[in-house]
Amino acid sequence: MFDGLLLLGQGIGHFLTLTSLFNVAWATLLGLVVGILPGLTATMGVALLVTLTYKMPADQAILTLMCVYLGAIYGGSRTAILLNIPGTPANAAATLDGHPLAQQGRAGLAMGLATTSSTLGTIVGIFFLAIIAPLLAEFALEFGSYEFFWLALFGVVISGQMAGSDTPLKGYIAGILGLLVAMVGMEMLHAYQRFTFGIPALGGGVDLIPAMVGAFGFAEILSSMKHRVVARVASVNDRVVPSFREIFQYWRTIIRSGVIGTFVGIIPGVGEDVGSWSSYALAKRFSKKPEEFGKGSQEGLIAAETGDNAVVSAAMIPTLTLALPGSAAAAVLIAAMLIHGIRPGPMLMTENPVFLYQVVAMLLLATLANLVFGLSLTKLLIKVLAVPRERLMAVVYVLCVVGSFAITQRMFDVYVMIVFGVVGFVLREMRYPMAPLVLGIVLGDLLDVNLRRGLMLSDGDVSPFFTRPISAILFAVVLLTILMSMPMVSRRVTGLFRRLAPQGRTS
Amino acid sequence: MDFEEPGERAARARADLLTAIVLVALGLVIFYLSWSMPRLEPRRIHPATIPGLVPMILGLTLAFCGALLGWRAGSIEAKGGWQALGRVLVSRPAVRILALLALALFYTLVLVGWLPFWAASMLFIFTFILLFELSMTDQPADPLRSGIWALAIAVTAGWGIFFVFERIFLVRLP
């Protein structure tokens, strides 16, 4: 306990230098701008920034990326409030009450509430990160190949089901496609090159960064340039800094949304948007004034913005302890950590225990920077909203080319980016979620190697995958997740719960 | 929450049907390629650890999910779905996308490598802005104003990216 506090103190102290604070300032501002600009998402921002930071020392590079990530998730709320367009997918729920508040002439209050609740959401997430991550890492040391196989499969399956589409089937298909992409190149068990078709550049497999820059950068450019959009920004005439009472009268909502966001963040590959929507739905259900939701409810806005920011911190729990990305942006962070020689996973707490607390410190600094910039630079940040997409997206595409080229310095990676961009765009248009695809690419090796290694250890016997206690639980969870995504099963289970529930509590 | 129009839903159902066929075919091809992948017998590896094992399972699962998707898409009532899908493919947004794609490919495959990166980027940004502000829109901007903006952004961004990446952060550019 005291060791943890000491390490946390060291983590914070480590970043109280001029260089670190300078990096926090510019990266958070950049993140805010990325989040504010519709069409630029947090994942895209982090993926593009990996290039810029890869010559930095590891701690500074991850600090910078974390600030961009958190800044973007928060920044998107501003667009949601003033433009009625979510700046990033995470802020979709914030439009429901944020924009009506702006239309009522209370845009300043809405921005203030969003800023403060974002900070509080992050702090709730940080609290759980500091507590849960060390315990989970210790527990995960007992995991063997069998457990890691199920964990990898669970990540892809749960992300496929919850990533949001017209059918979970599309999520699963996206996940399988991601896993198949990971099968390209040299496999780890026998060093055999699969699906390379004689192309030497494919020998090392498809790198995550160019794939992510394509799927989240180029595909996003294509999506946002499909139509011409003219921004109509709501005016801000009232005060931005909220009063203590305006925020803390909803303390129950804040804590509940923070906990929901944390829970969603821990689930692999389920991102900020799910955290935000779940918090919003539950806040409405437990609210004393549910009729105000969607018409400018302050409670609704607070729930949405607390929920999504808590996800960011909590997503670091599986990311750091199991190397299972808690969100799409966290997948990029894993790639960035590996580039900088940091190996996330159960061994992290043994090999580099300080790093976990450094991440806590990074999140703390980033959220404080968000709070300061969010409450002070209102006018300047609104100007960003007026930038037309026609003028912005050309520059973003150039950055996509740079971002995919610079790490390995191969034009091949730029072509990978283009292919993933086009395929990603087509899949998105047909409502295939991108998060399971990314998770598939990240977890493909883990799944493949652990399945075959497990079979090798048991001499081809599959029973340990189902009989070892943790494996059995994970298998049951995976099976249940798949079964629940079948409409006929989920209808029956819901019907059963309704019958069992007391009268009047069926909504 | 679904705000989409019935025509769009019908078009998507038909697009799903087409995708399903592609996915089933892709899944089966992957299964075949994995099945025929060397099993490394001379190296005496355990037969349960052959390199093709996981891709084989994934190929089959993809084909199965594709078939389910096709069955689902086929059971959705999508009157006029093929026509709606056809209209989507020749709509104005589709033309904008194709123009962007052509420009991006020309920049990446031809200009980068032929011109210095900063020059290629300036040219790309300038053309991109003019194309979408003057031509690919139903409300064209004032050409002079648009041209000045395009030039200013192209020069600033082209030089800025070169300076920030190559000089400050020491990152090599294409």
Side-chain angles (χ1 to χ4, degrees):
Chain A
M1 174 78 186
F2 288 109
D3 282 354
L5 277 177
L6 191 70
L7 285 168
L8 179 62
Q10 282 175 354
I12 295 171
H14 180 78
F15 290 114
L16 291 180
T17 62
L18 266 182
T19 317
S20 306
L21 294 177
F22 175 70
N23 284 335
V24 169
W26 73 260
T28 308
L29 260 180
L30 188 68
L32 279 170
V33 171
V34 167
I36 286 174
L37 289 165
L40 304 191
T41 62
T43 313
M44 181 187 193
V46 179
L48 288 177
L49 249 280
V50 172
T51 313
L52 204 65
T53 54
Y54 94 113
K55 290 244 168 118
M56 284 180 165
D59 56 339
Q60 296 299 324
I62 307 298
L63 171 73
T64 307
L65 296 176
M66 204 69 91
C67 288
V68 172
Y69 182 13
L70 205 60
I73 294 295
Y74 156 65
S77 69
R78 207 134 280 206
T79 326
I81 293 164
L82 297 175
L83 221 56
N84 203 22
I85 301 170
T88 71
N91 315 99
T95 55
L96 296 185
D97 288 299
H99 192 64
L101 274 171
Q103 283 176 321
Q104 293 159 17
R106 292 190 289 168
L109 174 67
M111 291 193 295
L113 290 177
T115 310
T116 327
S117 46
S118 298
T119 306
L120 293 171
T122 310
I123 289 173
V124 175
I126 289 175
F127 174 75
F128 285 109
L129 168 64
I131 290 181
I132 298 176
L135 300 176
L136 189 60
E138 205 176 314
F139 181 58
L141 283 174
E142 290 172 27
F143 289 9
S145 287
Y146 310 102
E147 288 77 18
F148 271 110
F149 163 73
W150 285 120
L151 266 181
L153 191 62
F154 170 68
V156 178
V157 167
I158 192 84
S159 169
Q161 200 201 0
M162 292 183 72
S165 175
D166 47 353
T167 162
L169 202 53
K170 289 188 179 175
Y172 295 154
I173 291 172
I176 297 169
L177 290 175
L179 288 171
L180 281 168
V181 170
M183 295 300 115
V184 176
M186 181 142 10
E187 50 93 27
M188 313 258 268
L189 218 55
H190 307 300
Y192 178 77
Q193 293 200 353
R194 297 184 291 208
F195 306 115
T196 52
F197 307 107
I199 303 168
L202 279 177
V206 176
D207 274 349
L208 184 68
I209 297 291
M212 294 287 277
V213 171
F216 287 88
F218 189 29
E220 199 72 58
I221 296 174
L222 291 169
S223 291
S224 58
M225 288 305 292
K226 208 168 64 167
H227 300 287
R228 186 172 178 270
V229 178
V230 182
R232 284 190 187 81
V233 184
S235 55
V236 184
N237 301 315
D238 60 333
R239 72 188 155 83
V240 176
V241 183
S243 71
F244 192 77
R245 194 177 164 276
E246 276 166 337
I247 281 285
F248 287 99
Q249 61 177 319
Y250 300 115
W251 64 271
R252 279 195 189 88
T253 309
I254 291 169
I255 293 175
R256 189 192 315 113
S257 307
V259 172
I260 295 166
T262 303
F263 181 70
V264 171
I266 294 174
I267 303 173
V270 182
E272 301 82 13
D273 46 345
V274 179
S276 180
W277 282 116
S278 322
S279 306
Y280 185 83
L282 271 184
K284 187 175 178 182
R285 189 169 170 184
F286 287 105
S287 173
K288 287 176 190 152
K289 295 174 185 167
E291 70 283 356
E292 283 182 8
F293 277 62
K295 294 172 192 156
S297 162
Q298 296 181 24
E299 192 179 2
L301 178 62
I302 288 174
E305 280 307 299
T306 312
D308 60 2
N309 279 273
V311 172
V312 177
S313 318
M316 291 303 127
I317 298 173
T319 306
L320 294 175
T321 57
L322 302 170
L324 244 63
S327 64
V332 188
L333 282 172
I334 289 188
M337 285 176 202
L338 292 173
I339 289 171
H340 287 285
I342 298 163
R343 217 158 47 98
M347 292 304 287
L348 183 80
M349 285 306 284
T350 321
E351 290 172 357
N352 192 359
V354 185
F355 185 69
L356 171 75
Y357 295 96
Q358 284 182 355
V359 169
V360 172
M362 289 172 196
L363 286 162
L364 209 58
L365 287 172
T367 197
L368 288 177
N370 270 342
L371 186 69
V372 173
F373 289 141
L375 295 180
S376 59
L377 299 179
T378 323
K379 291 262 154 45
L380 189 74
L381 292 175
I382 290 173
K383 286 212 166 61
V384 177
L385 279 174
V387 178
R389 289 179 190 190
E390 287 79 4
R391 294 181 189 167
L392 178 74
M393 290 305 172
V395 182
V396 176
Y397 181 72
V398 174
L399 290 174
C400 286
V401 172
V402 174
S404 46
F405 172 83
I407 291 172
T408 50
Q409 294 170 10
R410 300 186 301 179
M411 272 314 273
F412 177 78
D413 283 335
V414 180
Y415 308 145
V416 168
M417 180 273 288
I418 293 176
V419 171
F420 271 81
V422 176
V423 174
F425 169 72
V426 173
L427 289 178
R428 254 171 217 235
E429 287 296 298
M430 293 195 289
R431 298 218 171 163
Y432 288 83
M434 286 295 106
L437 182 93
V438 173
L439 230 70
I441 302 176
V442 178
L443 299 179
D445 266 346
L446 197 72
L447 184 139
D448 175 40
V449 169
N450 284 299
L451 173 68
R452 292 187 295 140
R453 192 181 286 149
L455 286 171
M456 189 159 67
L457 291 172
S458 61
D459 199 22
D461 179 15
V462 291
S463 61
F465 284 96
F466 305 98
T467 51
R468 282 167 61 107
I470 302 170
S471 276
I473 294 170
L474 288 169
F475 162 67
V477 174
V478 170
L479 189 69
L480 206 68
T481 312
I482 295 173
L483 285 176
M484 282 301 285
S485 65
M486 295 177 184
M488 56 182 177
V489 178
S490 68
R491 260 200 308 271
R492 286 194 182 164
V493 174
T494 318
L496 188 73
F497 273 106
R498 282 204 177 148
R499 274 202 297 280
L500 292 175
Q503 291 292 314
R505 289 291 305 271
T506 52
S507 63
Chain B
M1 242 173 290
D2 213 341
F3 300 108
E4 66 179 32
E5 292 169 10
E8 201 181 322
R9 190 164 177 266
R12 183 165 295 119
R14 289 297 164 250
D16 281 350
L17 199 60
L18 282 181
T19 324
I21 297 168
V22 174
L23 289 173
V24 171
L26 182 68
L28 293 177
V29 167
I30 289 167
F31 176 76
Y32 171 74
L33 289 175
S34 319
W35 181 263
S36 49
M37 205 175 267
R39 304 197 174 174
L40 311 180
E41 281 110 347
R43 282 163 59 182
R44 295 190 181 174
I45 64 165
H46 194 286
T49 67
I50 51 167
L53 178 72
V54 175
M56 218 182 312
I57 301 170
L58 290 175
L60 273 186
T61 321
L62 184 67
F64 175 69
C65 287
L68 278 180
L69 183 73
W71 175 69
R72 178 183 176 273
S75 61
I76 292 175
E77 199 187 329
K79 212 175 163 190
W82 291 115
Q83 289 89 333
L85 184 61
R87 278 196 298 277
V88 169
L89 294 177
V90 292
S91 61
R92 191 172 186 100
V95 175
R96 280 171 69 99
I97 295 296
L98 285 177
L100 197 162
L101 208 55
L103 193 60
L105 287 178
F106 182 71
Y107 163 66
T108 321
L109 304 179
V110 180
L111 288 184
V112 174
W114 181 55
L115 289 175
F117 185 73
W118 57 267
S121 304
M122 281 183 192
L123 200 59
F124 168 72
I125 295 169
F126 181 74
T127 320
F128 185 107
I129 296 174
L130 285 192
L131 181 72
F132 283 97
E133 287 202 347
L134 299 180
S135 170
M136 293 275 156
T137 172
D138 40 9
Q139 290 168 302
D142 172 32
L144 182 68
R145 203 178 140 81
S146 191
I148 293 171
W149 267 110
L151 192 66
I153 295 171
V155 171
T156 317
W159 182 81
I161 289 172
F162 169 75
F163 183 76
V164 171
F165 279 83
E166 203 150 88
R167 292 292 151 87
I168 299 182
F169 287 93
L170 308 172
V171 174
R172 273 192 57 189
L173 296 176

